[in-house]
């Protein structure tokens, strides 16, 4: 099973700051990583697929990078609605797995 | 617009059975893999099962293999999850999700979820 490790668990930031979230895979997963955002009381929603492709309607301030085992999601100039939980997910092999999540909270 | 609407959740006792349904609209379900994902309240996301577009390829998480069955009725645009021999640890919100494509298992769209509680 491919284990995804997200770090840090929590980030406290001010609106307007830029944040980079990390997701590390336990083995090479090429670029088969996605990022999801989940707000309290809501379902997750897709932000980025295949490491760097923004899903439809996702603002350009969200960007994803990486390949192999190390991946990042950068949110430039945090907006109030960006404070949420973020998960990564790999599709390189079965079972599909998710990272444990990073919470981005308002400082 | 893609819509996924789950139903069938409820309060169950260990050992009982339950069937979740997911009504889909806004896309040709035949062309997409569909996946069930669950989330224990306040915790992370866990993949449960995936069915390919025509139902010919199916995968299960080890934790549910042999107890859960994913199926679909493409003519009715429906996805199902039959859950047998329920355990307390199956308690979670169950989300129906649509994949990016039949081969790309990133999860493009999510339903609102249905809560399954298993308690003695």
């Amino acid at each position: 099973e491919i284990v995804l490790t997200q770090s840090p668990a929590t980030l406290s930031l001010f609106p307007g700051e830029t944040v980079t979230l990390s997701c590390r895979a336990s083995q090479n997963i090429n670029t088969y990583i996605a990022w999801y955002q989940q707000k309290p009381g809501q379902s997750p929603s897709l932000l980025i697929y295949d490491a760097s492709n923004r899903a439809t309607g996702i603002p350009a301030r969200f960007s994803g990078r990486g390949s192999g085992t190390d991946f990042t999601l950068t949110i430039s100039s945090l907006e109030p609605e960006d404070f949420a939980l973020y998960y990564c997910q790999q599709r390189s092999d079965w079972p599909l797995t998710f990272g444990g999540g990073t919470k981005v909270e308002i400082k | 617009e893609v819509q996924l609407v789950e139903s069938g959740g409820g309060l169950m006792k260990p050992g009982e059975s339950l069937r979740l349904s997911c009504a889909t609209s806004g896309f040709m379900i035949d062309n997409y893999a569909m996946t069930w994902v669950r989330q224990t309240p306040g915790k992370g996301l866990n993949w449960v099962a995936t069915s390919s577009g025509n139902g010919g390829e199916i995968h299960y998480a080890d934790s549910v293999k042999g107890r859960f069955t994913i199926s679909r009725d493409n003519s009715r645009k429906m996805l199902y999850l039959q859950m047998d021999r329920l355990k307390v640890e199956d308690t979670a919100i169950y989300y129906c999700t649509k994949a990016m494509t039949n081969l790309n298992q990133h999860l493009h769209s999510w339903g609102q979820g249905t809560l399954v509680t298993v308690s003695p």
Side-chain angles (χ1 to χ4, degrees), chain A residues 26-106:
Chain A
S26 59
Q27 63 191 73
N28 185 348
I29 59 169
N30 200 328
T31 57
Y32 298 142
I33 201 83
W35 292 90
Y36 302 88
Q37 178 191 68
Q38 187 176 31
K39 298 178 183 179
Q42 296 185 18
S43 308
S45 60
L46 179 66
L47 293 173
I48 301 285
Y49 64 95
D50 290 337
S52 60
N53 299 286
R54 278 190 300 276
T56 303
I58 301 304
R61 65 180 182 273
F62 291 91
S63 62
R65 295 188 64 178
S67 66
T69 61
D70 291 306
F71 302 89
T72 59
L73 172 70
T74 297
I75 312 171
S76 303
S77 189
L78 281 162
E79 297 285 343
E81 61 267 28
D82 300 336
F83 291 92
L85 265 167
Y86 293 86
Y87 294 97
C88 56
Q89 176 243 332
Q90 65 81 22
R91 68 173 183 93
S92 177
D93 199 5
W94 303 99
L96 303 182
T97 51
F98 292 88
T102 292
K103 182 179 181 181
V104 177
E105 63 179 25
I106 297 178

Side-chain angles (χ1 to χ4, degrees), chain B residues 10-16 38-41 63-64 67-68 83-94 115-120:
Chain B
L11 176 61
M12 309 300 293
K13 294 191 181 302
E16 292 185 333
R38 67 186 181 183
Q39 184 172 36
T40 304
S63 58
V64 308
R67 298 188 300 120
F68 289 11
M83 309 165 68
D84 296 324
R85 303 196 302 280
L86 282 163
K87 301 178 179 180
V88 170
E89 52 264 40
D90 294 321
T91 295
I93 299 169
Y94 285 74
L115 177 62
V116 174
T117 303
V118 185
S119 179

